Amino acid sequence: MSNDKKDHILNVAIELFAEKGFEGSSIRDLAAKADVNVAMVNYYFGSKDKLFEALIEQKAGFMRGILDELRTNTSLTEIQKIDHIIEKYVDRFFSQPLFHKVLQQEVLVSQRASMHEHVIGLFVKNTEDVVAIIEKGIRKKIFRKVDPQLTFSSIVGTINHVMMSKTMCMKMLNKDPGYDPYKDEHFKKRLLIHLKQMIHAHLLINNDL
Amino acid sequence: MSNDKKDHILNVAIELFAEKGFEGSSIRDLAAKADVNVAMVNYYFGSKDKLFEALIEQKAGFMRGILDELRTNTSLTEIQKIDHIIEKYVDRFFSQPLFHKVLQQEVLVSQRASMHEHVIGLFVKNTEDVVAIIEKGIRKKIFRKVDPQLTFSSIVGTINHVMMSKTMCMKMLNKDPGYDPYKDEHFKKRLLIHLKQMIHAHLLINNDL
DNA sequence: AAAAATTAATCAAACGTTTGTTTAATTCAA
DNA sequence: TTGAATTAAACAAACGTTTGATTAATTTTT
């Protein structure tokens, strides 16, 4: 069982699904693009659906470890924790932009019910952890009385939105064709600064710039 | 040419595409759900692709009129204009949640190139208008020196994110199954208040709460 | 160490379905 | 009665999947 080949198929699948969607991609397309025989996909993964599950399983849950650590961490202030979460999310999205497009599709479309519920479950768990941090900040009177759930929605929503479409991002930033915003370290920094600035202004009672 | 029937097919198509995606929905599914003969879809629209184009064309561009008006409007302050834009966006998303899921899919997946470019073009135009308002606010020293493009991304991204999945939204808010957040006037108000609060804190130099 | 047996990987071809679309016949309305 | 609306049936193409044969690699037996 060559894991090299399995991984290769998975990586090509992410590219293909990110561009054409899961239902819009055929196994024949995938096999051709990955330069393997059509039968190999089913040989390795069992079915197209199971390939998709393997794909999601491999890379989802990326924030679990970080949020678990933050929950027991007592040395960081609440705003430091939020900053850290923002950094990790931006890092993750920029290092795996195509995978996150596939993940967004799965949240958006509820075709494969169990996978859909699974992905949403992961996200809801993340939300609960971040909400707990914000609520603690509020109790400590470091944070304003904001809406914790929607504050997290703004963080993830902003990143999601910027990562939705390379074309949109490019045109929004008045860049030439050929420019890839997701490989531009400067743009990543720009997004980070914006998010932190906005969330600080939103959360902090004493926000000395 | 009964427009009633055409509209009926389009409305059922929005429901179906929002749930299963465009590629995930077959014309037979659509015909059955709309209770018409399979051939009627091609009779009225020519093809599945053209049905989709008609669907997008009918409802996209919903912000054009509002933004055009705001561009020439001199009686509103910049922050009032931003508030107005937030209100109109939230209104629109809450009145057409399923359509906006379909629209998001189209931005996310670039399967049908020309339609994809068209939708993104509309959005980029909206961005330019909002950016212009924010930049004027900055020049007038009413607004902080924020990132105008990403500020707009945060507004749309927050709404988009909340509208992505009913299930996610429900679970995030700890609601029982059966609850529909998009029909809950209270939740709509909650989103509005959060967005305005956050954007005010972010933009305004003198933000007296 | 050589031969035999077993397992894993790969392939082209074919399977039965489902797909979007078209046809040709029929019903309906003006 | 004419043109539009509607239908069931049929179309080729594409779909995910399975098959049975073949090769390559590994393990077991002698």
Side-chain angles (χ1 to χ4, degrees):
Chain A
M1 172 83 70
S2 127
N3 262 350
D4 285 4
K5 202 156 213 167
K6 269 187 90 166
D7 284 352
H8 175 242
I9 293 176
L10 276 180
N11 288 331
V12 175
I14 291 178
E15 279 181 50
L16 196 66
F17 294 169
E19 187 194 339
K20 307 200 176 195
F22 175 76
E23 325 282 348
S25 309
S26 74
I27 291 198
R28 283 174 179 82
D29 282 349
L30 174 56
K33 191 168 172 147
D35 200 30
V36 298
N37 189 275
V38 235
M40 296 314 291
V41 176
N42 285 282
Y43 176 74
Y44 279 122
F45 297 97
S47 70
K48 194 191 176 190
D49 278 331
K50 283 186 191 153
L51 157 74
F52 190 74
E53 286 175 31
L55 190 157
I56 298 289
E57 213 55 50
Q58 194 196 41
K59 305 213 172 184
F62 55 95
M63 283 299 285
R64 247 345 318 127
I66 289 149
L67 290 174
D68 280 339
E69 200 280 320
L70 283 183
R71 208 171 32 220
T72 54
N73 182 309
T74 53
S75 64
L76 291 175
T77 64
E78 278 66 37
I79 191 65
Q80 283 174 325
K81 288 185 181 180
I82 296 294
D83 278 351
H84 190 243
I85 289 165
I86 292 176
E87 278 164 25
K88 289 298 173 182
Y89 262 103
V90 171
D91 268 352
R92 196 54 201 335
F93 274 71
F94 268 77
S95 73
Q96 307 274 343
L98 296 184
F99 170 72
H100 280 278
K101 280 190 78 168
V102 178
L103 206 59
Q104 271 199 75
Q105 287 175 38
E106 185 54 29
V107 175
L108 208 48
V109 174
S110 44
Q111 181 83 300
R112 294 153 297 285
S114 75
M115 186 59 3
H116 181 75
E117 294 274 325
H118 175 63
V119 170
I120 284 179
L122 289 172
F123 180 80
V124 170
K125 222 156 179 262
N126 291 358
T127 307
E128 285 166 1
D129 286 340
V130 178
V131 163
I133 295 172
I134 295 177
E135 282 173 343
K136 193 165 186 185
I138 296 175
R139 279 198 303 278
K140 282 193 182 175
K141 300 198 190 300
I142 301 166
F143 289 173
R144 275 194 253 273
K145 284 177 187 160
V146 300
D147 190 315
Q149 280 87 2
L150 293 182
T151 298
F152 184 56
S153 294
S154 285
I155 296 173
V156 182
T158 302
I159 306 174
N160 255 333
H161 184 259
V162 158
M163 306 304 280
M164 271 190 98
S165 157
K166 205 166 90 175
T167 325
M168 186 183 68
C169 209
M170 255 175 49
K171 294 196 174 173
M172 204 178 78
L173 303 172
N174 284 313
K175 299 286 184 177
D176 307 312
Y179 170 78
D180 186 343
Y182 309 142
K183 286 180 182 159
D184 180 4
E185 202 60 33
H186 176 265
F187 175 58
K188 180 179 161 185
K189 194 153 219 166
R190 183 175 158 187
L191 175 60
L192 252 172
I193 289 173
H194 161 73
L195 264 178
K196 285 189 184 176
Q197 258 185 18
M198 183 180 74
I199 295 298
H200 283 214
H202 176 55
L203 283 178
L204 292 172
I205 291 180
N206 296 314
N207 183 29
D208 309 316
L209 299 173
Chain B
M1 171 84 68
S2 124
N3 261 350
D4 285 4
K5 203 157 212 168
K6 268 186 92 167
D7 283 352
H8 175 244
I9 293 176
L10 276 180
N11 289 330
V12 175
I14 290 178
E15 279 181 50
L16 196 66
F17 294 169
E19 188 194 339
K20 308 202 175 193
F22 176 75
E23 326 282 347
S25 309
S26 74
I27 291 198
R28 281 172 180 82
D29 282 350
L30 173 58
K33 193 168 170 144
D35 200 30
V36 298
N37 189 276
V38 239
M40 295 314 290
V41 176
N42 284 282
Y43 177 74
Y44 279 123
F45 297 97
S47 71
K48 194 191 177 192
D49 277 330
K50 282 187 192 153
L51 156 73
F52 189 74
E53 286 175 31
L55 191 156
I56 298 289
E57 212 55 50
Q58 194 197 41
K59 305 213 173 185
F62 55 95
M63 284 298 286
R64 238 6 297 135
I66 290 148
L67 290 174
D68 279 339
E69 200 280 322
L70 283 183
R71 208 171 33 222
T72 53
N73 182 309
T74 52
S75 64
L76 290 175
T77 64
E78 277 67 37
I79 192 64
Q80 283 174 325
K81 288 185 180 180
I82 296 293
D83 278 351
H84 191 242
I85 289 165
I86 292 176
E87 278 164 25
K88 288 299 174 183
Y89 262 104
V90 171
D91 269 351
R92 197 53 201 336
F93 274 71
F94 268 77
S95 73
Q96 307 274 343
L98 297 184
F99 170 72
H100 281 277
K101 282 190 77 170
V102 177
L103 207 58
Q104 271 198 76
Q105 288 175 36
E106 185 54 29
V107 175
L108 209 48
V109 173
S110 44
Q111 182 81 301
R112 295 153 296 285
S114 75
M115 184 61 359
H116 181 75
E117 294 273 326
H118 174 63
V119 170
I120 285 179
L122 289 173
F123 180 78
V124 170
K125 219 154 181 266
N126 290 357
T127 307
E128 286 166 1
D129 286 340
V130 179
V131 163
I133 294 172
I134 296 177
E135 282 173 342
K136 192 164 187 185
I138 296 174
R139 280 198 304 277
K140 281 194 184 175
K141 300 200 188 300
I142 301 166
F143 290 172
R144 275 195 252 273
K145 284 177 187 158
V146 301
D147 190 314
Q149 280 88 3
L150 293 181
T151 299
F152 184 56
S153 294
S154 285
I155 295 173
V156 182
T158 302
I159 306 174
N160 255 334
H161 184 260
V162 158
M163 306 303 282
M164 271 191 98
S165 157
K166 204 166 92 174
T167 325
M168 187 184 67
C169 209
M170 256 174 49
K171 294 195 175 174
M172 204 177 77
L173 304 171
N174 285 313
K175 298 286 184 177
D176 307 311
Y179 170 78
D180 186 345
Y182 310 141
K183 286 179 182 162
D184 180 5
E185 202 59 34
H186 175 266
F187 175 58
K188 180 180 159 184
K189 195 153 218 166
R190 183 175 159 187
L191 175 60
L192 251 172
I193 289 173
H194 160 74
L195 265 178
K196 285 189 184 178
Q197 259 184 17
M198 183 180 74
I199 294 298
H200 282 214
H202 176 55
L203 283 179
L204 291 173
I205 293 180
N206 296 313
N207 183 28
D208 308 316
L209 300 172

